[in-house]
DNA sequence: ATGGTTTTTACTGCGTC
DNA sequence: GACGCGGTAAAAACCAT
């Protein structure tokens, strides 16, 4: 799945739109140039040190798998071996053996002993499941896990619906990571009503994440829309340009970004002779045709769009 | 709870293929 | 006639207060 070219750049395809992801192996970040999907390069890919020379290369060996916030114990455990030998391979004497047996028993009891821990591991696995079914990158799952941890620590999650909390944390994680998934999509993935997820989301936003996290920009929505609907990239280019030239509070304030994005895509498709039906654009943006029309009207009322005929564009 | 704003629902009329 | 498009009124949803 992962290819690494000589220049140290990872390449793979975007799970959202299928386009090539490009990124920097050292930063460990992969970005989709079209829809803005961000993920991380696999952390297990070799030693984490960059060897300066051969000697150093031999010295630096990485041990263990990477820690992850998505497991309740961060993926860090120590097993007491069942072989009953010491570190030199010799068998243990009976007294030692008995005490090791005791320790093993206690270790297994302690591992997920408290109800909080058990609840945490339950929710974290649900978060992972939800992220998986929504095709979200790992960093979103990690962020969601992080959010849930702090909310659990602050007792915000106390006596709340587990499903509602997972959906809310995943949605917040999407926004923090700049991955454009709507509340609707996350709610649908969790099999919940949009309204109830919104309630939990506000709760988490108020009590856990104190600073306001802006929703994805109109441009993100445009890219997503274009990729989902498999529209000509030229349309995307023009739509992005239009949105940048006309990003005015007059037409954008208070409006659903998805509707605005749909309008830009629709206008661009008309201008380029593609002429996608409003119906289709609206459907992919999950808004109504009426909304698309209203946004279009507002854009056209406030701006004069003239087509410039030039060789490059 | 409430009021202002935005979105949706539902319906109509127009032009074109 | 079916389809895409533009518009409107009223209901519903949303959001800040």
């Amino acid at each position: 799945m992962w290819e690494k070219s000589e220049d140290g750049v990872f390449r793979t395809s975007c799970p959202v739109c299928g386009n090539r992801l490009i990124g920097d192996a050292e930063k460990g970040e992969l970005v989709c140039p079209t829809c803005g999907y961000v993920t991380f390069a696999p952390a297990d890919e070799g030693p984490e040190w960059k060897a300066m020379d051969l000697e150093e290369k031999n010295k630096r060996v990485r041990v263990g798998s990477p820690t992850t916030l998505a497991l309740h114990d961060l993926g860090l455990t120590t097993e007491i071996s069942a072989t009953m030998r010491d570190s030199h391979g010799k068998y243990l004497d009976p007294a030692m053996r008995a005490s090791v047996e005791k320790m093993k028993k206690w270790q297994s009891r302690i591992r997920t002993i408290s109800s909080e821990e058990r609840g945490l591991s339950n929710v974290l696995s649900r978060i992972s499941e939800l992220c998986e079914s929504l095709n979200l990158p790992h960093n979103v799952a990690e962020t969601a896990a992080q959010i849930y941890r702090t909310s659990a620590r602050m007792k915000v999650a106390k006596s709340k619906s587990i499903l509602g909390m997972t959906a809310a944390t995943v949605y917040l994680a999407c926004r923090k990571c700049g991955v454009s998934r709507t509340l609707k999509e996350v709610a649908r993935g969790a099999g919940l009503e949009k309204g109830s997820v919104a309630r939990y989301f506000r709760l988490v936003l108020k009590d856990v994440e104190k600073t306001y996290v802006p929703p994805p920009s109109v441009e993100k929505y445009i890219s997503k829309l274009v990729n989902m609907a498999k529209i000509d990239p030229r349309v995307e280019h023009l739509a992005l340009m239009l949105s940048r030239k006309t990003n005015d509070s007059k037409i954008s304030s208070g409006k659903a970004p998805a509707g605005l994005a749909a309008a830009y895509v629709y206008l661009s498709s008309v201008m380029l002779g593609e002429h996608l039906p409003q119906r289709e654009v609206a459907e992919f943006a999950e808004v109504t045709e009426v909304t698309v029309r209203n946004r279009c009207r507002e854009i056209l009322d406030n701006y004069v769009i003239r087509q410039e005929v030039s060789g490059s564009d």
Side-chain angles (χ1 to χ4, degrees), chain A residues 194-204:
Chain A
K194 192 173 130 197
S196 68
V197 178
R199 270 214 318 283
Y200 287 109
F201 172 66
R202 273 197 295 275
L203 192 81
V204 174

Side-chain angles (χ1 to χ4, degrees), chain A residues 195-259:
Chain A
S196 68
V197 178
R199 270 214 318 283
Y200 287 109
F201 172 66
R202 273 197 295 275
L203 192 81
V204 174
L205 201 60
K206 181 162 67 72
D207 294 339
V208 184
E209 190 74 26
K210 303 287 163 95
T211 54
Y212 178 68
V213 184
S217 63
V218 173
E219 278 139 55
K220 284 261 168 69
Y221 273 108
I222 291 175
S223 299
K224 185 187 171 193
L225 192 53
V226 167
N227 289 313
M228 287 201 316
K230 306 234 185 336
I231 302 168
D232 188 337
R234 290 184 312 138
V235 173
E236 179 190 14
H237 196 255
L238 181 58
L240 287 171
M241 201 188 77
L242 287 178
S243 104
R244 273 195 275 273
K245 296 233 169 178
T246 64
N247 73 337
D248 191 327
S249 57
K250 213 184 290 178
I251 53 176
S252 64
S253 93
K255 305 287 161 52

Side-chain angles (χ1 to χ4, degrees), chain A residues 300-312:
Chain A
L300 296 173
D301 281 353
N302 284 281
Y303 292 94
V304 181
I305 296 171
R306 61 175 195 287
Q307 263 190 86
E308 291 175 28
V309 184
S310 77
S312 59

